[in-house]
Amino acid sequence: MFELVLLAPVDEVETVSDALDALDALSVSVEDADAHTPAEQALFGEPGMPPPKAGWERSRVVALFATEALARDAGKLLAAQDFFAGCRVVAIQTVPEQDWVRLTQSQFTPVEITPEFWIVPTWHEPPAQATKIIRLDPGLAFGTGTHPTTRMCLRWLAGGTPFASGAIDAAVASAGVGPRPLGRVLDYGCGSGILAIGAARFGAVDIDAVDIDDAAVQATHANADANQVQLRAGLPDTASGTYQTVLANILATPLRVLAPLLCAHVAPGGSLVLAGILERQADELKAAYAPFCALAVHDCEDGWILMTARL
């Protein structure tokens, strides 16, 4: 395999990518050419909001070809096009032979949620200090414990200290931390099932995990079995009645739409835990849930927040 590496301004990224597809590239990826430098840019997007840019101001476009000749021909054909004026070919390079399974596994190491609670891939031994673990490998469904939103939800389940205490609302800060009774639990938008499994690790025994994606439901069943956890997983209509704890790690726009439904599932005195929210979206979430409850920022990490309410 050979890579054709290009630099392109943001306005030409989509055109260049489409041209590479037409030239029989096996894959095309776009990266920030300034990644890991002070000029690195973060691009966020979610359903219901304007899409992020097609690329970065300086985008690195990498196309994979089966042969070196195909990669060189593609570079020459692109260079002859008018739209390529602001772009340039950086390199044509061999993709080294790799043990891709071992390489992928090396990128997923145990993830600390609290000093005693860890997410551990099946090919790793648990850390010596881990008294509670979830065994989870990367798969098709979202949620391996590496994303801040997942970690914050798991930290809440464990009663751990918020990551950035200075960012949380005063009402939450005064309430303190520590283990909390979870009761009957609903994980809405379960992905891999990691939050439902985490709830089981901290005492929940009646757990529903639901998602609109069949692959997520299947992943949740498989991960629950691997962790010897009993739960019900299914499509959203699996959720019924009220729950002491309702968890939803999705994104801000669907969370706004789901406000009446999610709050209706929380039992009196129960807890609502929402994630997938950027710091700048806190006020709009508070407004959307105001008719039902008073949301507060409970935790903050890498620009994401966890919001909670007691109904």
Side-chain angles (χ1 to χ4, degrees), residues 174-305:
S174 64
V177 295
R180 49 181 63 82
L182 300 176
R184 189 173 186 233
V185 171
L186 172 63
D187 178 4
Y188 199 98
C190 58
S192 67
I194 188 171
L195 301 186
I197 296 167
R201 287 286 184 265
F202 288 91
V205 293
D206 188 359
I207 304 166
D208 286 335
V210 303
D211 204 291
I212 60 173
D213 186 350
D214 284 329
V217 174
Q218 294 169 15
T220 296
H221 278 301
N223 289 327
D225 289 345
N227 284 277
Q228 299 180 322
V229 164
Q230 298 296 315
L231 54 77
R232 290 175 295 275
L235 298 177
D237 58 7
T238 301
S240 63
T242 60
Y243 301 81
Q244 183 68 21
T245 304
V246 174
L247 306 153
N249 180 16
I250 316 176
L251 285 170
T253 296
L255 286 175
R256 287 198 303 269
V257 174
L258 290 167
L261 183 148
L262 293 175
C263 291
H265 277 305
V266 184
S271 295
L272 178 66
V273 181
L274 306 179
I277 308 163
L278 297 171
E279 285 183 86
R280 59 177 170 79
Q281 297 168 327
D283 288 342
E284 61 191 83
L285 264 294
K286 288 180 180 180
Y289 280 78
F292 314 102
C293 63
L295 278 181
V297 177
H298 179 92
D299 203 347
C300 178
E301 184 177 346
D302 292 345
W304 298 91
I305 57 174

Side-chain angles (χ1 to χ4, degrees), residues 31-110:
E31 307 164 356
D32 186 356
D34 296 313
H36 310 300
T37 75
E40 182 176 5
Q41 293 177 285
L43 297 182
F44 295 113
E46 62 172 287
M49 295 182 67
K53 298 177 182 178
W56 291 264
E57 293 303 323
R58 282 180 8 101
S59 291
R60 183 173 183 265
V61 182
V62 182
L64 184 67
F65 289 90
T67 68
E68 184 177 8
L70 287 172
R72 292 194 179 280
D73 288 346
K76 291 175 183 177
L77 286 168
L78 285 175
Q81 308 306 311
D82 292 340
F83 62 77
F84 203 71
C87 311
R88 66 183 176 91
V89 175
V90 176
I92 295 173
Q93 55 198 28
T94 305
V95 178
E97 291 292 330
Q98 296 269 18
D99 182 339
W100 293 107
V101 171
R102 189 175 296 277
L103 177 63
T104 300
Q105 289 181 345
S106 71
Q107 297 170 351
F108 291 89
T109 56

